[in-house]
Amino acid sequence: MKKSIIVVALLFTPLVAATPEPRVNVESIEPSSVAPGNSVEIDLVVANDGDSPASFGPVSVENVEGVQYRGTTSTLDGSFTLCGGCQQVGTLYLSTSDSLSSGSYPVEVEVPVDGASYFETATINVDGSASLVSSFSSAEIEQGRSGEVSVTVENSGTDAASAPSLSFSSDQVFFSPSSVSLREIPAGESVTRRFNVTPDESLSSGARQVTGTVEYLEDSEAETAEVQGTITVLDRAEMALDSLDLEDPVVGQESELSVELENLGPGEAESITIEVSCDGADVGSSRTFVGQVDADESVPAVFPVTPTSEDVSCTASVSYTDSRERSLSQSADFSASTPPPVPPAAVAVVVVLVLVGAGVWYRRRSRDELEEV
């Protein structure tokens, strides 16, 4: 009875056909974290866990922006057949671009099997770094005056710079503000800030190098970058007419107009010319060339002036050069006195003297004529 049951059971057991069971998986990614511009190797396992052979390949990799598939080893290159229970291991070669930002980049691997496709995803981790480069606008500023400069901080790296700050410190050139906080600077972006700049008044003219510092965080690590720029200090002379004086003016008589010119600094003044014009008076030599006056020095100039009326108004005009051509002028009014009248007695004396002189001359002439006869 047992034997019969067994036979019947065997007769009615269904037959199962042998089938392939493809399997694709990523075994390793080296390095696990890659810097931009470097290569990545992915070890890929292609297996047939079934009972019958299966046709595989060729393997292909989807390119993503910044990640380029370069090829594979011969074991996965082209089409191949795997028997049941067999597997093939190969390496996929990829490269990353220099400008690739930090982050995770999934790459899809496709393996065709008997007309169908099997997919596996490999994730490439890119660990970039921030690289801050600064540009400093040129500035020409007069001594003791203020000017404006702009500073641009650019992140030419591949990772964001967090919590950046920009500061300047100098004993000769003062920045306002001296320090500013900047927003986070992602890779490829920049931030620009403007500063008011004042050179010290004692600073002589010429180019001056200034240095600043950018502090920021990268992956919670403190980093610094240097900022360099040039400030050109220009000469500035502040000229002033300290005095303008006409000494004891009398109508019809020549007098002296004194001009006192002072350089209040801080720079030297060159090519100085003083010119005088007057209403109600004639000016002799109306123009004089002084030349150069250093800071905190003064120079006098004198002009001959002859009043033609009682009301005299004179203007002194000054032109000079420091870092550029400049000019100034100042006017002053004067009252000229008239010469005193000649007294009558003095007139009579003059007449008598003239007559006596004429008589003496006539006698001498007559005597000389008689002697000749």
Side-chain angles (χ1 to χ4, degrees):
M1 186 66 180
K2 268 186 182 180
K3 187 175 181 182
S4 300
I5 294 173
I6 293 172
V7 172
V8 172
L10 290 174
L11 290 174
F12 286 96
T13 300
L15 298 177
V16 179
T19 57
E21 293 182 19
R23 174 171 52 86
V24 179
N25 63 278
V26 173
E27 189 170 69
S28 65
I29 300 175
E30 293 294 338
S32 58
S33 180
V34 63
N38 291 329
S39 299
V40 179
E41 295 182 1
I42 301 174
D43 288 338
L44 187 70
V45 177
V46 178
N48 180 7
D49 295 335
D51 299 321
S52 63
S55 297
F56 292 79
V59 176
S60 63
V61 177
E62 178 191 19
N63 285 324
V64 297
E65 186 176 357
V67 180
Q68 182 69 40
Y69 174 55
R70 298 298 183 187
T72 183
T73 54
S74 58
T75 53
L76 298 180
D77 189 19
S79 299
F80 53 92
T81 300
L82 291 179
C83 62
C86 298
Q87 70 176 23
Q88 199 123 299
V89 180
T91 302
L92 307 177
Y93 300 101
L94 299 93
S95 62
T96 60
S97 68
D98 294 332
S99 59
L100 193 61
S101 300
S102 297
S104 297
Y105 295 84
V107 176
E108 193 170 65
V109 180
E110 179 182 2
V111 182
V113 183
D114 291 337
S117 290
Y118 286 78
F119 298 92
E120 179 71 358
T121 299
T123 300
I124 298 175
N125 295 312
V126 177
D127 186 12
S129 60
S131 178
L132 299 187
V133 180
S134 302
S135 59
F136 194 102
S137 66
S138 59
E140 294 183 342
I141 305 174
E142 295 178 355
Q143 292 169 317
R145 298 290 176 87
S146 297
E148 190 177 76
V149 297
S150 61
V151 180
T152 299
V153 181
E154 180 182 2
N155 185 359
S156 61
T158 55
D159 198 5
S162 302
S165 63
L166 174 59
S167 61
F168 290 90
S169 178
S170 172
D171 295 332
Q172 296 182 324
V173 180
F174 307 105
F175 284 76
S176 178
S178 59
S179 178
V180 293
S181 297
L182 308 175
R183 63 169 176 81
E184 179 178 275
I185 309 176
E189 295 189 14
S190 62
V191 175
T192 299
R193 289 291 182 270
R194 295 186 179 276
F195 294 84
N196 189 270
V197 181
T198 305
D200 188 85
E201 287 193 0
S202 63
L203 200 61
S204 60
S205 60
R208 296 292 183 275
Q209 192 82 9
V210 293
T211 303
T213 302
V214 181
E215 298 179 345
Y216 62 99
L217 296 177
E218 183 184 348
D219 296 333
S220 301
E221 295 290 330
E223 303 287 347
T224 60
E226 191 176 74
V227 181
Q228 287 191 337
T230 301
I231 300 291
T232 301
V233 180
L234 304 177
D235 271 328
R236 181 180 65 85
E238 186 175 342
M239 304 298 292
L241 286 164
D242 190 45
S243 65
L244 188 63
D245 184 48
L246 184 60
E247 183 179 356
D248 299 329
V250 178
V251 176
Q253 297 181 12
E254 184 177 288
S255 183
E256 290 184 344
L257 179 68
S258 300
V259 178
E260 186 80 16
L261 184 63
E262 183 179 5
N263 183 1
L264 303 178
E268 64 181 26
E270 298 178 334
S271 304
I272 303 172
T273 300
I274 306 175
E275 189 169 359
V276 169
S277 62
C278 293
D279 290 333
D282 296 328
V283 182
S285 179
S286 62
R287 184 184 176 100
T288 184
F289 180 74
V290 176
Q292 177 179 312
V293 177
D294 294 331
D296 300 322
E297 291 188 359
S298 60
V299 60
V302 178
F303 298 85
V305 173
T306 302
T308 58
S309 69
E310 294 182 357
D311 296 324
V312 178
S313 178
C314 293
T315 300
S317 301
V318 180
S319 63
Y320 64 97
T321 302
D322 44 22
S323 59
R324 60 187 180 90
E325 294 183 353
R326 304 178 190 271
S327 62
L328 73 152
S329 63
Q330 183 173 316
S331 299
D333 296 329
F334 308 99
S335 296
S337 61
T338 55
V342 179
V347 174
V349 171
V350 171
V351 171
V352 170
L353 291 176
V354 170
L355 292 176
V356 170
V360 172
W361 175 80
Y362 180 77
R363 284 181 199 160
R364 287 181 179 176
R365 182 178 179 185
S366 298
R367 186 174 56 194
D368 291 342
E369 288 177 353
L370 289 174
E371 290 177 354
E372 288 179 359
V373 174

